[in-house]
Amino acid sequence: MFQLKSLRMTGAMAFVGTAVRRLGVCCPSLSPLYCPASRCYSAPSEPTTAKSVPYEKTLKQEGGFSGPTKPLPKSADAVVIGGGSLGCQTIYHLAKMGMTNVVLLERDRLTAGTTWHTAGLLWQLRPSDVEVELLAHTRQVVSTDLEQETGLHTGWIQNGGLFIASNKQRLDEYKRLMSLGKVYGIESHVLSPAETKDLYPLMNVDDLYGTLYVPKDGTMDPAGTCTTLARAASALGATVIENCPVTGVQVHTDDLGVKRVKAVETVYGMIQTPCLVNCTGVWAVKLGRMAGVNVPLIAMHHAYVVTERIEGIQNMPNVRDHDASVYLRLQGDALSVGGYESNPIFWEEVSDKFGFSLFDLDWDIFMQHIEGAINRVPALEKTGIKSTVCGPESFTADHKPLMGEAPEVRGFFLGCGFNSAGMMLGGGCGKELAHWIIHGRPEKDMYGYDIRRFHHSLTNNKRWIRERSHESYAKNYSVVFPFDEPLAGRNMRKDPIHKLLLDQGCVFQERHGWERPGWFNKEGPAPVLDYDYYGAYGISCNDRYKYNELLGKEYTFDFPPHHDVIKKECLTCRNAVAVFDMSYFGKFYLMGPDAKKAADWLFSADVNKAVGSTIYTCMLNKRGGAESDLTVSCIEPGSAHSPLSPAFEGEGYYLAIGGGVAQHNWSHIQAVLQDEGFDCQLLDYSDDMGMISIQGPKSRDLLQEVLDTDLSNEAFPFSTHKVVKAAGHKVRAMRLSFVGEMGWELHVPRESCVPVYQAVMATGAKHGVCNAGYRAIDSLSIEKGYRHWHADLRPDDTPLEAGLAFTCKLKSSVPFLGREALEAQRARGLHRRLICFTIDEKVPMFGLEAIFRNGQPVGHVRRADYGFAIDKTIGYGYIRNPDGGVVSPEFVRSGKFTLERMGVVYKAQAHLKSPFDPDNNRVKGIY
């Protein structure tokens, strides 16, 4: 046993067995962990070297097996590889959904990799509606479903959860979670320090601002959960085989040149299968490599310690003290203490022979968590440490899992990279992954976990993966602020005018590799510097880092300090003219013999228009959900080497898509082309062209001096495009707007971007032109009621629900992907509808606010911003009828609506049409 006691030196707490000896202080055997530095002891003591998990039962078996626990079948509809939380949840849900010819392969025993040593915490509230739903399903499976199906107890304990706030910002964050929880019926309470003390008598509350208590949070047992899942899956017809290492993956290329999974090779034979599911955690990179699939995750040491018995701790809730970066998990009559440090150890050489194994704990690294734990529960100061648990965990660039079908190989699915949350997300994600495999798409909006969210140039970029994964780990317990940006893995993809904008004070945002303009700082350049790992690993922190300082000023749930700068950019666009660099957009060409057939099937709108037309449309999935919104332009053939007008035979279409989701769109289109067997090409010209958007009442006056074509309404109407010259350079000009003003987008070959931009700005000076960024676009677009994909338009939303019925060719007889689902929904009536809300009080909203109708929760805000022209906060959210009925316009008009922001309720006005320019006059040039 190794004990805790306080040792304070220069304001920090140090560990007796290491720091004290470095100071020449003697310590006794079985010494306290912390002791006054002035005391001297007769003999030195080492910290505990005992390594064991705190569970009564593990599945480790001494001596192992001589072969697989069951015979291998010759074939299977799907093979799940990895017997941890995700693998067991996935095969269980596959079997429940009716796919029973499925096999799970585990090279050791179930849980042997990383699941066996997990802390097993489950918190119901997260700053994401989808994650709240995923966690709710895990809780349902582990606490109720499995026991009903098998008669076995999984080890679920409902002891509650307590989130600690040491400052106002942290409590504001928790209040946001509380408001969202009300929509889902999750009980939670904001407690004062005194109320917290009553609930948790052993807690020090002197430095608390408040806490959030969630009574129905709890803990899971990894062995109990996984064995019960395996038994339930087996009872449904699935096959679970342990002690069967996978040695290879066979991939074949079909007649269309598409790579597909063919078989899984093991030490004991081969299984023919069209579907492989990679649930191998930190070993997922190696398994991906066997099939030519990039898996962008990295392995790190992650640790906690287990204390001896603590009198009075029984039945206490689990604790998350984010500001101290520490958690306290109830372990019977003891605690497990862990957290996230800024200098985690990378597991550089991942070993195949690490089943049921642990690392030695590096106390120098772990000690930073002890001070916070002792401060929060002072009884720990004199409590012994029974064992340490330091095992490998997989971490990703954005601290989100990797799921879905890999873009490189059809039939190769990912269910890995869970950032030490595989137990609590396992049930929800296992269900979604099973639905993905069987039906081609998940039920929920899983884009935030979809491997296709990352551009293909990043998924094998070791620097980017390492830097971003480190930052995500180190900031895991940081407050999630609305306008935060990463410092790691930056400057990976830059457009041609990046330097010109930087010199003018552009503060850039990062969107999956691209640097895009956020807003323009009047105090000069604020470049993004090389990542400094927050001073870890002996790397010096970036000194006088202006970009980081600007980000830090925006760490607030109030209006940010640069609110007036965004206002000026927005109102200049509304009243004069603004220039937006949108070069990060995805720019694809769809062309070839079957291009028209493909376009009819892919796009919800009728894109069979005359050459020169540009159409706003959606792409849908089978259930009618929006996989994308984009513009499609009908083009004519050009020369073979022109990025503006490539050569082709048959029909041709130019697609412009938001850059952050371009990879997702590319993969979706490719999958549909492959599934339908269309003979056409999809070409990516995203890096070969820039995109400069000129918007505002004076945009025509400005551009008429730059372009060599008539820009009148008659000669150049809205939703059309032409190849013209701008300052002597060929560009494709499109009369479109994403901000609700008259304007044009110029799609410019890369080498012409700088001179065209300079010509626009020079000419615009007399018209009062300004640069503007995406923070302004966010405000302007929500004010006009334009949708943002993956905010107020997602794969689980249909165009009918989102108010985009005009993008669907339902009046025609032309089939398109998702049409049947839309027709069925139209016949049933809409049971949820996207509604615009405004409030009169000058308070900011950022999304996740609860929506109430006549006092009943009916939804939550998906997206919110401030509209400067109408001078109001605007929020968009989907609402339901609590009675389960249709959400009609009358239902909206007849209700009294309120929005709850951080526990405070505000009266709201519901709008069925945008409150700004509802007749669309401005985009038509009518001012």
Side-chain angles (χ1 to χ4, degrees):
M1 185 184 77
F2 187 62
Q3 286 187 317
L4 302 162
K5 195 170 168 66
S6 84
L7 168 65
R8 299 187 181 274
M9 298 170 297
T10 62
M13 304 190 75
F15 170 68
V16 155
T18 54
V20 174
R21 269 200 312 283
R22 286 198 291 270
L23 295 173
V25 179
C26 307
C27 301
S29 179
L30 298 179
S31 64
L33 178 60
Y34 288 104
C35 58
S38 59
R39 295 182 63 182
C40 186
Y41 300 91
S42 58
S45 169
E46 292 291 338
T48 181
T49 57
K51 298 185 292 185
S52 66
V53 296
Y55 301 108
E56 291 183 12
K57 176 187 176 185
T58 71
L59 303 179
K60 183 176 182 179
Q61 188 159 333
E62 299 301 333
F65 297 99
S66 59
T69 54
K70 293 177 184 174
L72 269 67
K74 286 189 166 75
S75 64
D77 292 334
V79 175
V80 179
I81 303 175
S85 171
L86 255 294
C88 292
Q89 289 279 10
T90 300
I91 197 167
Y92 165 73
H93 282 94
L94 283 169
K96 282 202 80 169
M97 292 180 190
M99 183 182 277
T100 56
N101 182 26
V102 289
V103 177
L104 184 149
L105 298 178
E106 164 56 47
R107 70 174 167 205
D108 198 311
R109 295 292 305 273
L110 297 181
T111 75
T114 60
T115 297
W116 81 291
H117 60 71
T118 181
L121 294 158
L122 191 146
W123 317 92
Q124 295 177 90
L125 293 177
R126 304 268 277 211
S128 158
D129 60 323
V130 174
E131 290 190 353
V132 168
E133 294 172 9
L134 295 172
L135 292 165
H137 184 69
T138 299
R139 190 183 181 283
Q140 175 67 27
V141 169
V142 174
S143 68
T144 305
D145 293 354
L146 285 173
E147 190 164 355
Q148 290 177 352
E149 293 171 26
T150 66
L152 300 174
H153 183 53
T154 64
W156 165 256
I157 298 172
Q158 181 182 296
N159 61 314
L162 193 62
F163 292 80
I164 306 300
S166 301
N167 54 68
K168 180 181 183 300
Q169 287 179 330
R170 184 67 76 177
L171 193 60
D172 283 347
E173 181 183 41
Y174 296 159
K175 287 177 179 179
R176 291 187 77 208
L177 300 183
M178 178 186 68
S179 293
L180 178 63
K182 290 180 181 179
V183 178
Y184 289 97
I186 297 173
E187 179 186 359
S188 65
H189 310 274
V190 172
L191 304 182
S192 68
E195 291 170 325
T196 303
K197 186 73 172 178
D198 289 341
L199 174 67
Y200 202 123
L202 293 181
M203 183 171 289
N204 166 36
V205 300
D206 293 345
D207 59 347
L208 289 195
Y209 202 88
T211 59
L212 180 69
Y213 175 50
V214 188
K216 294 182 181 178
D217 286 352
T219 57
M220 297 170 287
D221 178 83
T225 299
C226 289
T227 53
T228 310
L229 285 165
R231 183 171 296 191
S234 298
L236 291 166
T239 302
V240 177
I241 304 175
E242 297 170 275
N243 197 41
C244 188
V246 170
T247 56
V249 178
Q250 289 190 12
V251 174
H252 76 104
T253 303
D254 68 15
D255 295 340
L256 296 176
V258 180
K259 291 182 177 180
R260 298 183 182 274
V261 169
K262 181 182 180 183
V264 173
E265 299 171 347
T266 80
V267 174
Y268 304 104
M270 185 169 65
I271 303 175
Q272 299 283 338
T273 184
C275 177
L276 177 160
V277 192
N278 183 352
C279 298
T280 58
V282 298
W283 294 272
V285 176
K286 181 177 180 180
L287 182 60
R289 204 175 292 130
M290 292 178 184
V293 169
N294 292 326
V295 182
L297 61 78
I298 199 162
M300 300 184 197
H301 294 205
H302 191 53
Y304 61 91
V305 298
V306 185
T307 73
E308 294 285 357
R309 184 177 185 277
I310 303 170
E311 184 62 40
I313 204 70
Q314 295 87 341
N315 302 317
M316 290 297 102
N318 304 311
V319 174
R320 248 185 170 178
D321 190 341
H322 289 99
D323 293 313
S325 196
V326 69
Y327 67 80
L328 308 171
R329 184 238 205 247
L330 185 69
Q331 205 76 54
D333 58 2
L335 289 177
S336 292
V337 179
Y340 290 82
E341 57 282 348
S342 63
N343 57 338
I345 299 173
F346 293 95
W347 194 20
E348 304 289 1
E349 298 295 333
V350 177
S351 169
D352 287 347
K353 301 185 184 304
F354 206 78
F356 294 108
S357 298
L358 296 172
F359 303 114
D360 292 328
L361 181 65
D362 188 321
W363 281 99
D364 287 339
I365 291 174
F366 191 81
M367 284 308 301
Q368 54 197 290
H369 303 305
I370 296 296
E371 179 178 6
I374 291 176
N375 175 62
R376 192 54 55 220
V377 180
L380 288 173
E381 191 173 8
K382 298 180 180 179
T383 300
I385 290 181
K386 183 161 54 179
S387 67
T388 69
V389 182
C390 182
E393 289 281 2
S394 57
F395 294 92
T396 65
D398 55 4
H399 218 72
K400 301 293 183 188
L402 307 176
M403 293 180 63
E405 191 174 31
E408 298 95 339
V409 179
R410 301 297 303 273
F412 191 107
F413 284 82
L414 299 176
C416 52
F418 273 79
N419 304 278
S420 76
M423 282 293 291
M424 66 175 162
L425 288 171
C429 288
K431 180 184 178 185
E432 293 304 308
L433 193 50
H435 199 278
W436 216 324
I437 292 162
I438 294 172
H439 300 288
R441 293 299 296 141
E443 283 190 293
K444 300 187 189 304
D445 164 38
M446 299 298 288
Y447 172 74
Y449 291 8
D450 193 333
I451 182 62
R452 301 177 302 171
R453 71 189 183 272
F454 296 131
H455 191 261
H456 63 82
S457 67
L458 301 175
T459 55
N460 199 33
N461 186 312
K462 292 181 180 178
R463 180 202 134 197
W464 181 80
I465 295 167
R466 189 181 187 91
E467 288 186 2
R468 288 292 298 272
S469 298
H470 171 269
E471 184 177 35
S472 295
Y473 181 101
K475 292 182 68 173
N476 185 40
Y477 277 3
S478 298
V479 178
V480 181
F481 289 110
F483 302 119
D484 198 11
E485 292 291 329
L487 299 176
R490 296 295 295 267
N491 295 319
M492 306 300 293
R493 305 177 76 195
K494 296 187 285 191
D495 66 61
I497 62 173
H498 176 274
K499 179 66 166 59
L500 293 176
L501 300 183
L502 179 65
D503 291 344
Q504 296 176 77
C506 183
V507 180
F508 285 92
Q509 301 173 332
E510 189 273 349
R511 293 298 178 268
H512 297 301
W514 276 110
E515 298 292 319
R516 75 173 193 182
W519 55 282
F520 284 81
N521 172 41
K522 301 306 178 187
E523 298 172 6
V528 179
L529 304 180
D530 288 344
Y531 186 50
D532 61 8
Y533 285 87
Y534 293 89
Y537 314 119
I539 299 171
S540 298
C541 286
N542 287 317
D543 189 32
R544 292 190 292 274
Y545 192 178
K546 189 171 182 179
Y547 181 84
N548 195 21
E549 292 169 3
L550 290 171
L551 288 184
K553 291 177 181 178
E554 299 216 315
Y555 288 171
T556 177
F557 290 111
D558 293 324
F559 288 117
H562 310 108
H563 188 64
D564 288 341
V565 178
I566 314 300
K567 176 181 179 178
K568 184 176 180 182
E569 291 180 17
C570 290
L571 293 183
T572 300
C573 181
R574 290 278 183 246
N575 300 319
V577 60
V579 174
F580 301 88
D581 175 20
M582 302 173 73
S583 297
Y584 94 120
F585 256 52
K587 309 165 199 79
F588 307 152
Y589 287 103
L590 177 66
M591 52 201 186
D594 287 346
K596 181 182 181 302
K597 289 181 185 177
D600 283 343
W601 183 247
L602 275 166
F603 305 126
S604 60
D606 181 6
V607 297
N608 286 304
K609 307 289 186 182
V611 168
S613 301
T614 297
I615 303 97
Y616 173 67
T617 182
C618 295
M619 289 192 291
L620 310 180
N621 52 44
K622 291 177 184 176
R623 299 191 309 133
E627 292 289 335
S628 167
D629 70 331
L630 67 157
T631 58
V632 177
S633 298
C634 305
I635 60 172
E636 59 187 0
S639 62
H641 304 292
S642 169
L644 279 181
S645 303
F648 59 87
E649 294 182 3
E651 307 294 328
Y653 305 91
Y654 174 59
L655 320 181
I657 300 160
V661 297
Q663 183 69 51
H664 172 86
N665 279 257
W666 174 271
S667 299
H668 173 75
I669 295 169
Q670 287 282 35
V672 172
L673 297 180
Q674 293 163 9
D675 292 344
E676 299 299 323
F678 292 127
D679 180 12
C680 50
Q681 287 181 293
L682 184 66
L683 303 178
D684 186 354
Y685 277 78
S686 302
D687 292 325
D688 300 294
M689 287 193 290
M691 181 173 158
I692 302 167
S693 184
I694 299 92
Q695 302 287 327
K698 296 183 180 179
S699 60
R700 177 184 281 138
D701 295 338
L702 187 162
L703 286 173
Q704 194 63 79
E705 299 182 48
V706 177
L707 304 182
D708 67 345
T709 191
D710 183 356
L711 299 181
S712 66
N713 285 339
E714 297 74 23
F716 210 141
F718 184 69
S719 283
T720 63
H721 65 91
K722 296 178 182 179
V723 175
V724 299
K725 283 192 174 181
H729 298 263
K730 267 193 174 183
V731 303
R732 187 179 299 277
M734 295 187 180
R735 186 166 172 193
L736 295 171
S737 179
F738 196 52
V739 297
E741 298 295 332
M742 179 174 66
W744 282 261
E745 294 173 359
L746 304 183
H747 296 244
V748 188
R750 187 175 186 89
E751 63 275 9
S752 300
C753 286
V754 168
V756 169
Y757 168 78
Q758 290 174 328
V760 167
M761 295 304 290
T763 305
K766 59 178 173 287
H767 300 289
V769 73
C770 80
N771 286 301
Y774 270 83
R775 290 279 289 277
I777 288 178
D778 290 342
S779 168
L780 294 163
S781 62
I782 198 171
E783 190 170 52
K784 182 63 186 79
Y786 292 156
R787 311 293 184 246
H788 272 200
W789 193 82
H790 201 238
D792 37 22
L793 183 65
R794 305 192 312 202
D796 54 345
D797 307 319
T798 73
L800 306 186
E801 295 167 338
L804 297 177
F806 69 91
T807 67
C808 301
K809 47 182 178 266
L810 291 173
K811 292 181 180 179
S812 77
S813 60
V814 179
F816 60 91
L817 183 57
R819 176 171 185 140
E820 291 180 2
L822 294 188
E823 288 176 333
Q825 184 179 61
R826 186 171 60 175
R828 290 192 307 267
L830 297 180
H831 289 255
R832 58 199 290 271
R833 187 187 290 265
L834 183 65
I835 300 297
C836 173
F837 297 94
T838 57
I839 59 172
D840 291 331
E841 287 87 347
K842 296 294 189 290
V843 294
M845 292 188 178
F846 306 106
L848 303 184
E849 294 81 11
I851 304 170
F852 295 85
R853 180 184 181 272
N854 299 341
Q856 289 185 285
V858 293
H860 68 276
V861 174
R862 284 272 195 87
R863 176 182 167 218
D865 214 312
Y866 199 81
F868 293 101
I870 66 171
D871 200 22
K872 291 180 187 289
T873 292
I874 305 166
Y876 274 81
Y878 289 83
I879 65 170
R880 295 180 181 273
N881 187 329
D883 299 330
V886 171
V887 180
S888 64
E890 180 54 31
F891 176 84
V892 177
R893 283 190 286 262
S894 62
K896 291 184 178 178
F897 289 92
T898 55
L899 304 181
E900 180 178 312
R901 173 191 182 269
M902 300 179 187
V904 180
V905 176
Y906 298 90
K907 289 182 181 178
Q909 177 68 41
H911 305 268
L912 289 166
K913 294 183 74 174
S914 166
F916 176 79
D917 189 25
D919 297 324
N920 286 326
N921 286 325
R922 298 172 78 95
V923 296
K924 301 170 190 172
I926 304 171
Y927 284 94

